[in-house]
Amino acid sequence: MGQSTDVDERAAADADVAARLRNGMARGVLSFPLTSFRADGSLDPDGCREHLAAQAATGPGALFPACGTGEFFSLDEDEYRQVVTAAVEAAAGRLPVVAGIGYGWAQAVRFARIAEEAGADAVLALPHYLVSAPQEGLVEHLRRIARATRLPLIAYQRGQVAYTAASVRRIAALPGVIGLKDGHGDLDLVQRQRLAAPADFLFFNGAATAEIQARQYASIGVGAYSSAVHAFAPEIADAFFAAHRDGDDHTVERLLRGFYVPLVELRDRVPGYAVSLVKAAARLRGKPVGPVRAPLTEPGPDDLAALEALLANGLDLAGATA
């Protein structure tokens, strides 16, 4: 009787978080904040709190601290705790906080438990470290994490991780697993995954610069997406989201042509620019985010000048100011 009650209570708690996330996804983009570092590479807690408060104040669908854009891969456990705690404080219960976790399942569990203690609502399981693995191993990886934490879990397929539709059916049946973030952009696969999963299983577009494919994902029933642009220009990200939601194709096209596509072309010049450019753009706007940590590198002068011009044009297209 006690075990059945525990299972029912977890299912109810997971459903509540999933409902909050679904409502948030319908309301705005998913914010993936930056992690602030000082010039010497140490964590800047004050900068983190300021940046996270500013992100939360714009009303995104949810905050996803310490994920890819937040340089999870470079944080130690104490730094991670500080970042997630600051995100929970910034959200103040007004929007869900989903903390990144990763590496092998044993280390992912350590981070998940820190996220629990910090007050996060859920965790995002970033791709595991280094090795490729068969489908059975990918499912078992998530099973071990999910059963070791009380927090609901969203799987993230990217890089060496891609689930078959059959595997998504299996992970959707795991207690605690509530959704999937896709970073591959294979819409044929995502469609088959979505149809294999229960109707209430969460899916969202997590492709790099997700706005580029937002319309394509929406055409197969996946309307929600993450936005790295929101970390430095919420005005642009929100303008695009509103136009996309409202079917304003003219504004969507203008923002794609004048900002997003050129941003992707600049991003693709150097590995790691998907984070480095975001941080550089935030600094251009006076945000206290500091530099990236190695192995990422800062944009060179020419790329920084191109980014500054592109940012000004994007803000102008969105009807905002620098």
Side-chain angles (χ1 to χ4, degrees), residues 72 75-77 80 100-114 129 141 145:
F72 166 79
L75 300 176
D76 66 28
E77 291 181 12
Y80 176 85
I101 60 172
Y103 306 118
W105 66 262
Q107 188 65 31
V109 166
R110 290 174 64 91
F111 280 104
R113 288 174 176 164
I114 293 170
Y129 174 70
H141 177 77
I145 299 170

Side-chain angles (χ1 to χ4, degrees), residues 120-134:
D121 297 287
V123 291
L124 175 69
L126 279 66
H128 63 269
Y129 174 70
L130 190 59
V131 298
S132 296

Side-chain angles (χ1 to χ4, degrees), residues 8-315:
D8 291 343
E9 288 179 353
R10 172 158 195 176
D14 292 345
D16 178 66
V17 173
R20 290 180 62 206
L21 282 166
R22 186 175 295 105
N23 290 338
M25 290 173 175
R27 185 180 67 248
V29 300
L30 303 177
S31 167
F32 281 68
L34 298 156
T35 297
S36 299
F37 300 121
R38 301 187 181 97
D40 64 0
S42 61
L43 184 72
D44 178 4
D46 291 338
C48 284
R49 284 190 287 269
E50 183 176 335
H51 174 63
L52 285 160
Q55 286 285 289
T58 64
L63 284 180
F64 284 71
C67 293
T69 306
E71 297 178 78
F72 166 79
F73 52 86
S74 76
L75 300 176
D76 66 28
E77 291 181 12
D78 180 62
E79 292 169 332
Y80 176 85
R81 185 186 303 275
Q82 293 182 66
V83 170
V84 177
T85 299
V88 171
E89 291 172 352
R94 296 186 302 271
L95 64 160
V97 174
V98 184
I101 60 172
Y103 306 118
W105 66 262
Q107 188 65 31
V109 166
R110 290 174 64 91
F111 280 104
R113 288 174 176 164
I114 293 170
E116 280 185 35
E117 294 165 3
D121 297 287
V123 291
L124 175 69
L126 279 66
H128 63 269
Y129 174 70
L130 190 59
V131 298
S132 296
Q135 291 296 308
E136 182 61 38
L138 297 179
V139 174
E140 180 63 19
H141 177 77
L142 291 180
R143 179 184 290 110
R144 286 176 177 265
I145 299 170
R147 73 185 184 193
T149 175
R150 295 188 301 274
L151 296 179
L153 180 153
I154 297 170
Y156 185 9
Q157 61 176 11
R158 192 186 188 96
Q160 76 273 31
V161 176
Y163 301 99
T164 63
S167 291
V168 168
R169 185 180 296 110
R170 292 176 65 192
I171 66 175
L174 295 175
V177 180
I178 63 171
L180 177 70
K181 175 184 178 182
D182 175 61
H184 285 295
D186 181 346
L187 297 187
D188 175 81
L189 174 61
V190 175
Q191 177 72 295
R192 287 183 282 115
Q193 291 171 332
R194 192 183 67 80
L195 295 173
D200 60 353
F201 197 67
L202 300 174
F203 282 88
F204 67 95
N205 163 13
T209 316
E211 287 90 345
I212 291 288
Q213 296 188 66
R215 291 188 291 188
Q216 290 86 341
Y217 275 87
S219 73
I220 61 167
V222 180
Y225 61 88
S226 59
S227 176
V229 169
H230 189 274
F232 65 87
E235 306 95 326
I236 300 173
D238 290 346
F240 183 93
F241 180 87
H244 172 58
R245 177 197 61 205
D246 297 341
D248 181 357
D249 289 335
H250 176 69
T251 298
V252 167
E253 290 283 340
R254 289 177 67 239
L255 287 167
L256 287 173
R257 293 177 186 275
F259 177 74
Y260 283 100
V261 170
L263 178 66
V264 168
E265 291 171 349
L266 183 59
R267 180 201 72 198
D268 289 346
R269 290 183 187 178
V270 177
Y273 264 19
V275 177
S276 300
L277 287 179
V278 173
K279 254 195 169 169
R283 290 197 305 273
L284 286 171
R285 304 199 73 197
K287 307 303 180 184
V289 297
V292 292
R293 275 182 172 172
L296 300 179
T297 59
E298 295 297 334
D302 291 345
D303 289 345
L304 194 59
L307 177 64
E308 186 170 16
L310 184 56
L311 176 58
N313 192 54
L315 289 168

